[in-house]
Amino acid sequence: MTTTDLSALSGLELLRLARDGRLGDRPSIGRLLGMRFDEVEEGRVVLSLDTRPDFANPLGTVHGGIAATILDSALGCAVHTTLPAGTGYTTLELKVNYIRPARTDGQTLTAEGTVVHAGRRTATAEGRVVDEEGRLIAHATITCMILGPGD
C-alpha cells in the first residue's frame, strides 16, 4: 500500500495507482463486486468483472443493478481522470439502457466509459458494457457534479 497523500493526486494519478494495485485492499464497491481496472487514461476508463451466481435476479440472469454499477463506476472514473488534485465528483444522473441479459456463470463483463464534456461544475460521459463475445449488454450516460475544496 502506498503512503502517498491521496488528496494531493490528480484523478488520473489516483486511478492509475488503483489500476496498478497500489492502493491496498481498501473497502469499496469495486472490491465487493470484483471489479478490475483494465485501462486508465485521461477521459477514458475500462473496468471488468466476472459474473457469479450471487449477481442473479429472480429470473436467474445478472441483475440490472450490476450493469448499472459497473457503468456508473466506469463513467464516473472516466470523469475523475480529468480532475485535478483536491477535486471530487458525485453522480447527479445515470441513464441506463438494457439491451440483453448476462449470464451468472463467470462470464467477463467489460465496461468502457468516455468523457463527453468536462466543465467546471458538471461533466458528462457515455459508455457501454459488453460480454466476452462483444455483445452489448447495456449502455449509459452520466452527469456528474464537480466538487471543489469545501463543497
Side-chain angles (χ1 to χ4, degrees), residues 10 59 66 71 78 94 126 141 146:
S10 71
L59 299 174
I66 299 297
L71 283 163
L94 177 67
E126 61 189 9
T141 57
I146 308 305

Side-chain angles (χ1 to χ4, degrees), residues 19-52:
R19 176 200 60 201
D20 297 342
R22 295 179 50 206
L23 292 180
D25 193 26
R26 301 161 44 128
S28 67
I29 190 68
R31 183 178 82 172
L32 179 68
L33 298 181
M35 285 186 215
R36 300 176 295 276
F37 281 94
D38 298 329
E39 298 177 44
V40 175
E41 58 189 66
E42 186 164 353
R44 182 176 167 273
V45 169
V46 178
L47 299 174
S48 61
L49 59 76
D50 298 326
T51 65
R52 56 186 191 246

Side-chain angles (χ1 to χ4, degrees), residues 10-145:
S10 71
L12 182 59
E13 292 167 330
L14 178 68
L15 292 174
R16 284 184 172 158
L17 285 178
R19 176 200 60 201
D20 297 342
R22 295 179 50 206
L23 292 180
D25 193 26
R26 301 161 44 128
S28 67
I29 190 68
R31 183 178 82 172
L32 179 68
L33 298 181
M35 285 186 215
R36 300 176 295 276
F37 281 94
D38 298 329
E39 298 177 44
V40 175
E41 58 189 66
E42 186 164 353
R44 182 176 167 273
V45 169
V46 178
L47 299 174
S48 61
L49 59 76
D50 298 326
T51 65
R52 56 186 191 246
D54 289 337
F55 293 175
N57 61 26
L59 299 174
T61 58
V62 171
H63 189 282
I66 299 297
T69 300
I70 195 171
L71 283 163
D72 184 43
S73 297
L75 278 59
C77 285
V79 166
H80 197 182
T81 66
T82 68
L83 301 179
T87 305
Y89 70 95
T90 190
T91 301
L92 288 174
E93 178 184 58
L94 177 67
K95 166 69 170 88
V96 180
N97 292 287
Y98 298 97
I99 305 304
R100 69 173 36 87
R103 300 184 322 267
T104 62
D105 62 355
Q107 78 173 170
T108 300
L109 298 181
T110 303
E112 178 178 2
T114 305
V115 171
V116 174
H117 167 77
R120 285 185 327 108
R121 299 304 292 164
T122 61
T124 59
E126 61 189 9
R128 50 196 307 139
V129 60
V130 297
D131 66 16
E132 53 200 24
E133 285 93 38
R135 293 179 301 185
L136 185 64
I137 300 298
H139 57 96
T141 57
I142 199 171
T143 303
C144 295
M145 177 172 42

